[in-house]
Amino acid sequence: VADLVKPALEEFETGENMEIKFVSNENLKIFGDPDFLRQVFMNIFRNAAQAMRGAAVSVLKIEIEEAKRGGKKFAVVKITDTGGGIAPE
């Protein structure tokens, strides 16, 4: 998974005040189209950057970890940002 996220991060243009934190202690493998998955991550990173536009502190954090459920292993990719979130309607 990290092999897909890292190239997307390298292509992603951060703002001047944006800090990126990447945490991955796992060498997890997933199945899927690498180009499609890279594009998915790029879109999420762009959305996060837009949400943090104008913020005094902008942090984009990507965490990759393994989870187990029902005896099966899963790759979990958590992406968080310090943007304001979605306004309640």
Side-chain angles (χ1 to χ4, degrees), residues 14-77:
T14 63
E16 289 181 26
N17 298 325
M18 185 181 297
E19 178 183 354
I20 295 179
K21 295 181 180 182
F22 182 79
V23 180
S24 176
N25 295 328
E26 307 290 338
N27 187 16
L28 302 174
K29 303 288 183 201
I30 61 171
F31 298 98
D33 182 315
D35 292 329
F36 178 76
L37 290 168
R38 183 187 54 75
Q39 188 62 49
V40 168
F41 289 122
M42 284 292 297
N43 290 344
I44 293 170
F45 300 157
R46 277 193 209 107
N47 289 347
Q50 290 172 354
M52 294 185 289
R53 193 176 297 142
V57 177
S58 298
V59 179
L60 176 63
K61 185 174 183 181
I62 301 100
E63 299 174 88
I64 301 172
E65 58 190 38
E66 181 180 87
K68 294 179 185 178
R69 183 180 295 160
K72 295 184 179 183
K73 294 180 182 181
F74 295 89
V76 177
V77 180

